[in-house]
Amino acid sequence: MRVTRAVVVMLIAIIVAIGDAHAAASGQSIHFDQANKVFRLDAAKVTYAFGVDDKGRLQSLYWGPRLDASDRLPPAVTPPKADGIDGDINRVRQEYSGWGGGLYYEPGVKITFPDGNRDLELHYQSYSIKGDTLYVTLKDIERAIVVTLEYEMDAGTGIVRRSATISNQTATPVVIEQANAATWFLPRSRDYTLRFLSGRWAGENDINERLVQPGKTVLESRRGTTGMQNEPWFAVRRNDADETHGQVWFGALAWSGSWQIAIEQDQVEQVRISGGFNPFDFGYKLAPGASLSTPSFYAGVTTDGLGEASRLMHRLELTKILPQAPAPRVRPVLYNSWEATGFKVDEPGQIALAEKAASIGVERFVMDDGWFGARNSDKGGLGDWVVNQQKFPHGLKPLIDRVHALGMDFGLWVEPEMVNPDSDLYRAHPDWVLYMNGRPRTEGRNQLVLNLARADVRAYVYNALDKLLSENDIAFLKWDYNRSWSEPGWPAVAPDEQKNVYVDFIRNYYGILQELRKKHPKVEIESCSSGGGRIDLGVMHLTDEVWTSDNTDAFDRLRIQDGFTQAWTPAVMMAWVTDSPTWVNSRTLSLEYRFLSSMQGSLGIGADLNKWQPQDFATARRLVAEYKAIRKTVQQGSLYRLVSPQNGSEQSATESISPDRAHAVLFAFLHSSTENYPYPTVHLQGLDANAKYRIHAIAGTFDPRTPLVASGAYWMHAGIDLLMRGDFQAAAVVFDKE
Ligand code: DGJ
């Protein structure tokens, strides 16, 4: 089409009539309809809209499948008057509310002023658009408390990022008692089921579902860090939605401190989801002129079921969140010494393991706990980040050199935020930990938590790690964190500033990670916390992978990994092959089964290679090579959870497809066959129906009558029959486009 001058003039006229319009090259757009005072964001398959009502309040208008460009959302209006019991304000779908005016649901922000006033009502002031971000400014009706909301929609997934910055422009300090990043509104309905993750040490990522009913479900951590009691993620589905069909809203918080996500349905069936800092024991003192930014809360919507909701999250993480986004490097196959040697690490022992690891194709050798200070058990040494002279008389260099000579890079375990009372650091600085005057200092795993909010502690931790990385050729840090907080006091500051520790600790943790990454750009970092205790979009922005669970039982892992992938991408899901029987269940599993379980994520080996027989090395060598051929698809492709391992299922299966749909890999597992039943036919998903795919088995066998080449339609509709009988069987089949 020829674009004439007249057409251009007409388009400009339309845009001016609509209001401000911003269509970024990135594929998302932000519009402000001046006449109706409606903000509208569009990207991928999603539209998100809110407006300013006649009283100046910001109201949620729409969040769902993408609307037509010509659709005009009606303006926000004050709802009909309520009664004296429920109060008018509770019917207003406020995008971000101050606690005031008789509000009974979770507010965006709650503040106490020095004069005892605690009422806050936020009204619209102005907006601006910078790059892909929309900034909307609100102000209290009387006091100089200004809140700036941020909205950013991801072009690829339609996932919206929201956060809020609260500025104290009054002349006195104020205390923020609650600060959420966002409140998300669903259409008014009774038709919702909440899905969320819960867990404990060695038992992470249980999937739970409950009907959304009047009342509130609170997902949270009060532990100072993310924790594994709940993951900072939610999904709310229509009651008829399932893994492959139906409408699902989902989201996750980018915060590694105490957090809360509340899902509530009020008396008029309004369902809202709010999330941010955990308000329990919260009290952030904000000086005049200072501001507090909440974490970001990311949320999306799909009409294609829970599986698609997960794939959208995975895509966001790979293309926007991870440090190497949008093109993260594939994870190297690593070896970790922990389950083989425990604290008994030394130069000859580690070199012996490294030589064996290299022989099976391992690319990164990681020495775990025990290499520093007087660290011979978990009772001492933490905090003293100097190489143990008895175990490594010549420092780490001979080991690192040998690891390099074997063609691998070298990684090291650290737990920087902790200290054992039996350490030189604690003897010198007993006041550097979290504690409350005159109260017991509760230990967890014989250790205390350093107060990273303190400038001197932050400097100590940064300098210790910087020295380690500057003096040694280290490619990878496994950053561990093995207890939750107790007595979160900070006696060195004024009593009314002590609760700032919940925010300042985490900001300093992020700050150290940022500075280290800047100074040592080649170093990759794993977030570990006794397993999966510190996994969230905040830490994922600054680390390259996460430790999934201390439970490395390959059968248990199927369920844990299934829960993990609800929210987090398999690209960061570290999964080691360890010894059998496992310490967890004393269960015996074949080496091939253990490999296939781990190959669904980022593969590691954690077994004691000194005990392996020649045939074990041969199996491992073959499967590591197979893994390298499929890992990009597994780590960065689209995951389809074909058969769920939940609820005692006897079978489970996953499928990963490369973004261009040229490669797919199927993993299938059998717990126990019973009564001569064959393994159910497995139907693939997401393949190119018209393309031809050739199959080959990495492990296990399929029915000999199966065609070796067939269309995507065939594999999706006729499926594949795997021959699995007995206990703990596993198979993996690769599909390559011809
Ligand atoms: C807990 C981690 O999850 C383990 O993998 C191991 O690194 C130990 N800490 C070491 O103390």
Side-chain angles (χ1 to χ4, degrees):
M1 188 184 92
R2 242 187 87 228
V3 181
T4 62
R5 216 178 117 80
V7 171
V8 172
V9 170
M10 198 179 75
L11 283 174
I12 291 171
I14 291 171
I15 289 169
V16 169
I18 294 170
D20 194 0
H22 165 90
S26 59
Q28 54 87 277
S29 68
I30 304 168
H31 289 265
F32 182 52
D33 173 348
Q34 202 83 252
N36 286 338
K37 292 206 178 130
V38 171
F39 293 93
R40 173 171 164 172
L41 292 86
D42 294 274
K45 297 180 179 172
V46 181
T47 296
Y48 186 94
F50 57 96
V52 185
D53 73 14
D54 40 317
K55 295 225 167 68
R57 295 169 304 207
L58 220 56
Q59 288 196 33
S60 163
L61 291 175
Y62 179 80
W63 179 34
R66 191 158 180 165
L67 303 177
D68 192 82
S70 65
D71 291 328
R72 293 278 162 270
L73 284 141
V77 290
T78 298
K81 276 200 109 26
D83 46 65
I85 296 296
D86 286 335
D88 295 349
I89 192 106
N90 294 293
R91 291 185 181 239
V92 181
R93 290 160 49 104
Q94 287 194 80
E95 274 286 293
Y96 197 83
S97 52
W99 184 74
L103 192 78
Y104 305 131
Y105 58 77
E106 292 285 330
V109 54
K110 179 178 185 303
I111 288 181
T112 293
F113 294 88
D115 63 355
N117 175 62
R118 302 182 318 281
D119 189 71
L120 193 73
E121 283 192 53
L122 298 172
H123 283 190
Y124 173 74
Q125 291 276 295
S126 62
Y127 81 95
S128 62
I129 297 169
K130 287 184 205 115
D132 290 344
T133 307
L134 166 66
Y135 298 85
V136 180
T137 304
L138 313 175
K139 187 184 156 298
D140 178 55
I141 50 175
E142 181 231 347
R143 302 192 173 203
I145 295 294
V146 175
V147 176
T148 305
L149 306 180
E150 287 184 32
Y151 294 82
E152 187 182 0
M153 207 175 202
D154 175 46
T157 59
I159 291 176
V160 181
R161 181 188 72 77
R162 289 188 56 187
S163 67
T165 297
I166 301 141
S167 307
N168 176 12
Q169 297 177 13
T170 73
T172 56
V174 300
V175 176
I176 300 180
E177 287 162 354
Q178 179 159 8
N180 272 322
T183 298
W184 310 94
F185 286 83
L186 304 191
R188 222 170 31 251
S189 166
R190 290 184 187 173
D191 180 30
Y192 296 119
T193 296
L194 167 69
R195 175 174 278 215
F196 63 98
L197 298 168
S198 66
R200 61 190 169 83
W201 178 69
E204 294 88 339
N205 306 326
D206 270 332
I207 298 175
N208 307 272
E209 287 205 335
R210 65 175 64 148
L211 279 178
V212 177
Q213 290 180 320
K216 181 162 59 184
T217 297
V218 173
L219 311 176
E220 66 171 353
S221 162
R222 296 182 177 197
R223 298 156 182 265
T225 47
T226 322
M228 44 182 100
Q229 191 169 343
N230 291 133
E231 298 289 301
W233 168 87
F234 74 91
V236 175
R237 61 174 174 86
R238 290 286 188 183
N239 288 333
D240 65 356
D242 59 18
E243 181 71 15
T244 52
H245 299 96
Q247 194 153 6
V248 183
W249 291 261
F250 57 93
L253 269 177
W255 185 240
S256 311
S258 290
W259 59 271
Q260 174 182 292
I261 297 176
I263 300 92
E264 53 182 331
Q265 178 176 319
D266 67 17
Q267 67 285 358
V268 290
E269 292 174 359
Q270 179 59 66
V271 176
R272 57 175 73 72
I273 299 145
S274 50
F277 298 123
N278 193 323
F280 177 80
D281 198 37
F282 197 77
Y284 196 88
K285 186 173 174 194
L286 202 58
S291 59
L292 173 69
S293 290
T294 70
S296 289
F297 197 171
Y298 293 81
V301 57
T302 176
T303 51
D304 295 326
L306 291 154
E308 181 65 8
S310 297
R311 286 188 288 278
L312 290 168
M313 283 291 296
H314 300 170
R315 191 78 12 232
L316 178 86
E317 290 154 14
L318 287 164
T319 58
K320 279 281 158 67
I321 304 288
L322 285 166
Q324 296 171 13
R329 277 199 296 274
V330 288
R331 301 287 81 227
V333 176
L334 66 73
Y335 178 82
N336 180 291
S337 65
W338 174 245
E339 291 206 17
T341 51
F343 298 98
K344 290 200 183 90
V345 295
D346 58 23
E347 190 182 301
Q350 293 296 298
I351 286 178
L353 284 171
E355 284 167 352
K356 294 187 170 84
S359 78
I360 56 173
V362 165
E363 297 157 310
R364 171 169 290 168
F365 182 84
V366 184
M367 178 161 64
D368 209 281
D369 202 346
W371 59 268
F372 55 91
R375 185 71 167 169
N376 297 312
S377 72
D378 61 15
K379 294 196 171 56
L382 273 182
D384 301 338
W385 299 109
V386 286
V387 178
N388 181 304
Q389 286 300 310
Q390 279 82 52
K391 299 178 185 181
F392 297 91
H394 315 290
L396 297 178
K397 195 169 184 311
L399 170 61
I400 295 177
D401 286 350
R402 183 70 189 123
V403 165
H404 289 163
L406 289 163
M408 301 180 289
D409 66 27
F410 180 77
L412 194 63
W413 179 96
V414 288
E415 192 177 2
E417 298 139 284
M418 298 289 168
V419 64
N420 287 118
D422 182 9
S423 67
D424 292 343
L425 182 68
Y426 189 72
R427 282 183 280 274
H429 299 287
D431 55 332
W432 274 16
V433 297
L434 293 174
Y435 72 101
M436 292 189 186
N437 271 331
R439 310 298 303 171
R441 299 182 179 197
T442 305
E443 293 177 19
R445 207 195 189 203
N446 310 303
Q447 62 200 52
L448 297 166
V449 184
L450 288 172
N451 183 354
L452 209 58
R454 290 175 61 123
D456 46 9
V457 174
R458 184 198 192 284
Y460 173 81
V461 168
Y462 174 79
N463 290 334
L465 294 171
D466 179 40
K467 188 164 185 286
L468 208 55
L469 295 176
S470 302
E471 291 177 354
N472 300 284
D473 193 349
I474 293 172
F476 172 81
L477 286 180
K478 174 177 170 181
W479 185 309
D480 208 344
Y481 183 96
N482 285 307
R483 61 159 295 183
S484 303
W485 290 13
S486 55
E487 300 97 24
W490 184 0
V493 298
D496 63 352
E497 285 172 23
Q498 292 200 9
K499 289 181 179 174
N500 286 23
V501 73
Y502 285 106
V503 175
D504 294 356
F505 184 114
I506 304 301
R507 296 262 190 253
N508 279 349
Y509 165 60
Y510 289 159
I512 293 171
L513 284 168
Q514 259 154 4
E515 277 175 47
L516 285 176
R517 293 197 77 101
K518 201 160 165 222
K519 183 150 181 218
H520 307 277
K522 289 205 190 104
V523 176
E524 296 190 331
I525 301 173
E526 175 179 296
S527 172
C528 170
S529 177
S530 295
R534 185 141 76 176
I535 308 176
D536 58 78
L537 296 183
V539 75
M540 214 181 267
H541 194 47
L542 294 162
T543 55
D544 303 272
E545 59 187 52
V546 300
W547 181 223
T548 311
S549 177
D550 276 356
N551 182 345
T552 57
D553 178 283
F555 174 71
D556 282 6
R557 270 298 183 98
L558 299 179
R559 188 201 56 70
I560 293 172
Q561 293 175 176
D562 183 68
F564 182 102
T565 65
Q566 302 291 314
W568 322 121
T569 166
V572 300
M573 184 175 77
M574 294 308 298
W576 301 344
V577 174
T578 55
D579 288 320
S580 181
T582 58
W583 64 269
V584 196
N585 295 316
S586 305
R587 180 170 21 232
T588 303
L589 298 168
S590 73
L591 187 56
E592 197 168 74
Y593 184 101
R594 284 177 270 150
F595 258 97
L596 265 52
S597 171
S598 297
M599 284 163 69
Q600 293 173 100
S602 179
L603 178 65
I605 318 288
D608 185 352
L609 301 180
N610 297 319
K611 296 192 187 130
W612 275 18
Q613 300 304 312
Q615 67 270 24
D616 297 326
F617 283 99
T619 302
R621 203 170 296 123
R622 183 177 73 77
L623 290 173
V624 166
E626 293 276 15
Y627 178 72
K628 286 178 183 169
I630 59 164
R631 71 173 148 190
K632 192 149 174 113
T633 300
V634 168
Q635 294 178 15
Q636 301 182 7
S638 296
L639 174 71
Y640 289 80
R641 295 180 294 248
L642 302 182
V643 182
S644 165
Q646 304 291 337
N647 304 318
S649 169
E650 289 293 341
Q651 302 93 18
S652 69
T654 65
E655 174 198 352
S656 305
I657 309 184
S658 62
D660 61 2
R661 296 198 290 170
H663 307 283
V665 55
L666 165 71
F667 291 97
F669 300 86
L670 171 69
H671 178 266
S672 296
S673 54
T674 52
E675 299 172 0
N676 204 22
Y677 282 120
Y679 197 84
T681 304
V682 178
H683 298 272
L684 281 94
Q685 293 175 23
L687 296 176
D688 178 352
N690 300 317
K692 292 271 193 291
Y693 292 89
R694 175 179 293 277
I695 61 167
H696 80 266
I698 291 179
T701 46
F702 43 78
D703 187 320
R705 293 168 302 163
T706 310
L708 292 184
V709 179
S711 68
Y714 181 93
W715 300 121
M716 292 192 286
H717 304 306
I720 181 165
D721 285 314
L722 300 163
L723 301 180
M724 282 202 270
R725 271 163 191 278
D727 297 332
F728 300 111
Q729 300 296 309
V733 180
V734 174
F735 296 71
D736 286 318
K737 215 178 197 176
E738 288 243 290

